[in-house]
Amino acid sequence: MNKYNENAIESLGILGGVRAKPASIGLESHNHTFLEILGNAIDEARAGYGEEIIVTKHEDGSISVRDFGRGVPMGKNEKGEYAYKKVFDELWAGGKYKNNDEDGGSNYEYSLGTNGVGATGTNYTSDYFQAISYNGKRLLAIEYLKGAEYTSLIEKESSEPRGTKISWLPSAECFRGKSEIDDEFIITTLRDQAIVNGGVKFIFTNQKTEETTEYFYENGVPDYIKSLSNEEYSLTDVISFSTEQKGRDNDSDKDYRIKANIYFSFNRETSFSRYYHNTSWLENGGTPEEFIKNSFTYVIDKFLKEQNLYKKGEKKISFDDISDSLLIVTSTYSTISLFTDQTKKKIGSDFMKQSITKWLREQLEIYFVENPNEANLILKQVLVNKNSREKAEATRLSVKKKLSGTVNNLTNRIEGFVNCKSKDNTKTELYLVEGKSALGSTKQGRDAEFQAIYALRGKILNCLKADYDKIFKNDIIIDLIKLLGCGIEVKSKHAKDLNSFDINKLRWSKIVITTDADVDGFHIRTLLLTAIYRLMPTLIEKGYVYIAESPLYEIEQNDASVFAYSDKEKDEIVSNMKGDYTVQRSKGLGENTAEMMWETTMNPETRKLIKVTPSGAEDTLHYFEMFLGDDLSARKKYIEDNLHLYIEDALD
């Protein structure tokens, strides 16, 4: 039995402790080391030293970050101490602790990192770490293995441009088996940094994929917002506000400086939000998100009230109604660290929240007064969003209520539905037939073990031209959704809560659309396909939807019948017959005998089913939208281009 006594107490040391628990100094993952090293290069560029940062992923998975700044100090200081040891081998050491000094002694006024643990922490948690500092004539280099110095400081001649190059490979021992920094993480980070550091070019060379990509926005955030915005639906240009202020969170604190850059535009169809602080993306928000929500909601609500645009008794807007049409990026800075932890994903500052909220409200009010046309467009769009959101919420509650229950206890409630015996959804089939008249023949002609039938009551709603509120008031569609059981796929920013689709809950192996071979039948088939494509496109993509091909002709001879599915097939059959025979157009489904329905439409051995494929669905949707949608110009052009074909056919 192990004894717990004085001899059981051990010390990992600082290096061992960091390698054992990187999160203790804020390194939450192997990817996070990239932020720490890149952040130092960005701070140099922001300070005016270098306009380009090169990131390389090597064949072995290691990363290099090369900047063209002043070069990290690595030689001896006036005390005879090597600076590189403080930078790469000592926690809470660095050159950014005086950022808030009044005497101007700071090297980095608004720095991404000030805690002095990033470079050392990355070194400690890497299998391999190398730092090279160039001054244009010579270089200084140092190497570490698993955080321990491997070579002495190297100094030699080099004509490489001034700057710093850091190379490292995160240790799988420290990060739960992960060492290679994810490509997507690098790409996302570099894109974000290019956005908030306008004029700085970020180059990523991936030697493993032999690809090189550049990220560059000359004007930074405004260029990025323009790239996101759909100009056709734009309500405003990109608007920008900037301020610098000074204050403190508590009376006992020392004053610090903040800077806020707010960029935004309004668009009917596009929305986006991103918050940065000292160039770090605030994935978890914090203060900037709070002052944006507060300011925009307050000012827009105020103008709606002043202009009497609210209806009597109407609820006030929420920020969601604004954000639906708002593209906004904030880039804030502070001379002290406001990050709530080393991960730099959230900031908290009472001073910033209060001062920027007051300032931003004033700026927005001035903008609305000075730009009445744009203000009017914004106010009306926010109300449109609000009404759409409220309608979507009412629809969601209504649909949830209507779709409650299971197919078993709904069987007797759904008019026109006849269930099958089996519950094995790898075998069951649901036939969608045209009207009650078809229900009789299909019910008698089916295999009741695995074939169920739903007889439509009249024509189904055209789902291309209807909004979700109208769609979900249609009883046929609601019944269809209930019977399929897999939920719905909703692509609407105002009705996201309606998404409930789960392919695993589909109750059928096949959904078979079965209609008469006439104009009305084709129309109903088209409307059914439209509904499925609009509400459950995955059913088509996964191959669950079929069309039962009904015969056009019944050819009788000697009390025996054969069926032809086209004029060509009819002619071929007749040409091989000897003696008397009769040819007649097939009757509607409701007039067919049970035997005929089984033979031509429901017997897996003899029926003809056409699978609706994704490519076929796309072509079909194109024509749906042309003939059933609101694109009048496309419809007119089609008629102009093709009318002569139909006229010639008619004349023939």
Side-chain angles (χ1 to χ4, degrees):
M1 182 176 179
N2 294 330
K3 292 184 178 181
Y4 181 68
N5 54 31
E6 288 82 354
N7 297 322
I9 306 302
E10 297 179 274
S11 173
L12 293 173
I14 295 177
L15 172 58
V18 172
R19 285 184 66 82
K21 295 185 177 181
S24 65
I25 60 166
L27 291 178
E28 61 176 7
S29 71
H30 63 303
N31 286 333
H32 192 183
T33 62
F34 178 64
L35 296 179
E36 297 295 343
I37 301 303
L38 182 68
N40 293 330
I42 291 170
D43 286 341
E44 279 291 290
R46 286 195 56 78
Y49 302 98
E51 297 178 345
E52 189 173 280
I53 296 172
I54 301 172
V55 176
T56 305
K57 173 175 270 195
H58 302 283
E59 292 283 355
D60 64 355
S62 64
I63 297 291
S64 292
V65 175
R66 171 71 157 100
D67 67 46
F68 297 89
R70 289 166 288 186
V72 63
M74 294 178 68
K76 289 184 178 180
N77 60 21
E78 59 188 15
K79 298 178 182 178
E81 302 167 326
Y82 279 106
Y84 79 85
K85 289 184 178 290
K86 292 182 176 296
V87 178
F88 304 118
D89 201 6
E90 187 176 329
L91 293 175
W92 301 289
K96 305 174 185 177
Y97 287 111
K98 296 183 178 180
N99 290 0
N100 199 42
D101 280 6
E102 297 292 340
D103 61 7
S106 169
N107 290 305
Y108 306 92
E109 184 178 14
Y110 297 115
S111 170
L112 178 56
T114 58
N115 291 339
V117 301
T120 298
T122 299
N123 175 26
Y124 281 2
T125 57
S126 296
D127 282 341
Y128 167 79
F129 185 94
Q130 181 192 61
I132 305 175
S133 182
Y134 305 95
N135 66 9
K137 297 179 180 179
R138 303 186 68 77
L139 68 78
L140 292 171
I142 190 69
E143 293 182 353
Y144 295 83
L145 293 180
K146 295 190 176 181
E149 192 171 324
Y150 178 66
T151 63
S152 300
L153 186 67
I154 298 170
E155 183 174 0
K156 61 181 182 181
E157 292 184 358
S158 173
S159 59
E160 278 280 319
R162 192 179 189 94
T164 302
K165 182 180 180 181
I166 305 291
S167 304
W168 76 102
L169 179 65
S171 177
E173 297 173 11
C174 303
F175 297 111
R176 298 179 181 177
K178 295 183 178 180
S179 62
E180 184 176 328
I181 294 171
D182 301 335
D183 290 353
E184 189 58 37
F185 184 82
I186 295 172
I187 291 167
T188 300
T189 301
L190 295 182
R191 185 204 63 203
D192 280 348
Q193 293 306 317
I195 293 169
V196 292
N197 293 288
V200 179
K201 181 182 291 185
F202 294 82
I203 302 172
F204 176 39
T205 297
N206 191 332
Q207 294 182 351
K208 299 183 78 170
T209 61
E210 299 183 345
E211 295 177 329
T212 296
T213 311
E214 294 185 1
Y215 303 90
F216 177 74
Y217 294 93
E218 184 175 357
N219 299 308
V221 176
D223 285 354
Y224 181 64
I225 290 179
K226 286 179 182 178
S227 74
L228 294 175
S229 181
N230 186 332
E231 290 188 15
E232 181 181 353
Y233 301 104
S234 181
L235 299 175
T236 68
D237 291 329
V238 178
I239 303 148
S240 62
F241 302 142
S242 296
T243 185
E244 290 194 59
Q245 299 187 28
K246 183 177 178 182
R248 63 182 72 183
D249 292 318
N250 299 295
D251 292 339
S252 58
D253 291 338
K254 183 179 179 181
D255 281 355
Y256 62 91
R257 295 184 298 283
I258 61 171
K259 183 178 180 181
N261 299 319
I262 316 294
Y263 307 91
F264 65 94
S265 69
F266 280 89
N267 193 288
R268 285 197 296 273
E269 294 294 322
T270 311
S271 61
F272 178 81
S273 64
R274 201 85 160 185
Y275 307 101
Y276 298 90
H277 185 71
N278 286 11
T279 77
S280 180
W281 171 35
L282 301 178
E283 189 174 350
N284 297 329
T287 297
E289 188 174 14
E290 291 171 354
F291 66 62
I292 289 298
K293 288 183 176 181
N294 184 305
S295 301
F296 275 84
T297 306
Y298 173 85
V299 172
I300 292 178
D301 174 62
K302 177 181 178 181
F303 275 80
L304 286 170
K305 289 176 179 175
E306 290 178 353
Q307 297 185 23
N308 296 315
L309 293 176
Y310 280 128
K311 296 177 182 176
K312 186 176 181 181
E314 184 177 3
K315 292 181 180 179
K316 66 177 288 186
I317 59 164
S318 70
F319 182 70
D320 287 342
D321 305 322
I322 299 168
S323 63
D324 277 341
S325 296
L326 178 65
L327 295 99
I328 187 159
V329 176
T330 69
S331 182
T332 57
Y333 302 88
S334 61
T335 53
I336 64 170
S337 177
L338 300 178
F339 296 108
T340 56
D341 57 31
Q342 180 65 16
T343 64
K344 301 182 177 71
K345 291 184 177 180
K346 185 177 182 179
I347 65 168
S349 167
D350 290 337
F351 159 56
M352 178 184 285
K353 179 181 177 180
Q354 294 166 9
S355 61
I356 299 301
T357 297
K358 181 176 181 296
W359 164 79
L360 183 54
R361 285 181 176 183
E362 294 171 352
Q363 300 305 307
L364 287 171
E365 288 189 23
I366 292 170
Y367 173 80
F368 272 58
V369 170
E370 293 182 348
N371 299 273
N373 292 334
E374 288 82 354
N376 186 51
L377 291 173
I378 293 168
L379 296 176
K380 288 183 176 179
Q381 184 60 43
V382 169
L383 287 178
V384 167
N385 295 343
K386 175 178 178 291
N387 292 334
S388 180
R389 175 179 59 82
E390 291 173 344
K391 182 185 288 187
E393 175 61 16
T395 301
R396 184 186 70 82
L397 294 173
S398 174
V399 170
K400 184 178 179 181
K401 182 178 180 181
K402 288 179 179 179
L403 295 183
S404 60
T406 66
V407 73
N408 292 325
N409 61 32
L410 288 171
T411 301
N412 296 326
R413 297 189 214 168
I414 296 180
E415 184 181 349
F417 174 63
V418 179
N419 207 351
C420 58
K421 296 176 183 177
S422 175
K423 294 181 181 179
D424 183 353
N425 63 3
T426 65
K427 297 178 181 178
T428 54
E429 301 176 350
L430 177 64
Y431 273 76
L432 305 177
V433 303
E434 182 183 345
K436 287 185 178 180
S437 60
L439 179 60
S441 57
T442 51
K443 180 180 178 181
Q444 294 172 16
R446 68 178 177 143
D447 186 330
E449 179 63 30
F450 67 94
Q451 291 177 326
I453 303 165
Y454 175 46
L456 303 174
R457 305 182 301 280
K459 288 185 179 179
I460 195 170
L461 180 72
N462 178 2
C463 290
L464 275 184
K465 300 185 74 172
D467 61 22
Y468 287 114
D469 178 55
K470 187 174 182 181
I471 288 173
F472 296 124
K473 286 179 179 176
N474 185 277
D475 290 339
I476 298 176
I477 291 176
I478 288 295
D479 286 348
L480 182 60
I481 295 170
K482 289 178 182 178
L483 292 173
L484 294 179
C486 56
I488 50 180
E489 299 172 86
V490 174
K491 298 176 182 178
S492 169
K493 63 184 179 181
H494 295 121
K496 290 176 283 190
D497 289 340
L498 285 171
N499 280 297
S500 59
F501 187 81
D502 183 353
I503 193 69
N504 296 314
K505 293 182 179 179
L506 179 66
R507 298 187 177 103
W508 318 97
S509 69
K510 290 182 176 64
I511 300 148
V512 186
I513 299 173
T514 310
T515 59
D516 291 343
D518 57 20
V519 173
D520 284 341
F522 292 150
H523 189 206
I524 292 171
R525 177 197 300 176
T526 299
L527 292 173
L528 272 171
L529 283 172
T530 305
I532 294 172
Y533 195 98
R534 174 88 186 268
L535 299 175
M536 307 157 218
T538 300
L539 296 184
I540 294 175
E541 292 169 13
K542 299 291 185 181
Y544 286 97
V545 181
Y546 294 80
I547 294 171
E549 190 173 3
S550 300
L552 287 177
Y553 299 98
E554 181 179 1
I555 305 165
E556 289 185 286
Q557 186 178 50
N558 300 327
D559 296 326
S561 294
V562 291
F563 301 96
Y565 291 83
S566 66
D567 287 316
K568 182 180 179 181
E569 188 176 3
K570 177 203 69 174
D571 293 340
E572 289 176 354
I573 293 171
V574 168
S575 67
N576 292 320
M577 283 186 166
K578 295 178 181 180
D580 294 334
Y581 60 84
T582 60
V583 178
Q584 62 178 359
R585 293 279 302 197
S586 289
K587 308 179 182 79
L589 296 178
E591 300 176 54
N592 289 341
T593 64
E595 293 77 12
M596 179 180 174
M597 286 303 303
W598 171 250
E599 186 68 23
T600 63
T601 310
M602 311 193 83
N603 184 350
E605 301 297 326
T606 57
R607 68 189 178 187
K608 290 188 177 183
L609 297 185
I610 303 169
K611 180 184 284 190
V612 181
T613 62
S615 59
E618 289 175 8
D619 291 339
T620 303
L621 181 65
H622 168 72
Y623 289 105
F624 285 177
E625 291 178 338
M626 182 187 299
F627 295 120
L628 300 176
D630 295 320
D631 194 346
L632 297 177
S633 60
R635 198 145 59 233
K636 180 180 178 182
K637 187 175 188 307
Y638 181 88
I639 293 171
E640 290 174 350
D641 293 343
N642 296 279
L643 182 61
H644 66 283
L645 299 175
Y646 297 95
I647 292 175
E648 289 174 3
D649 287 344
L651 293 175
D652 290 341

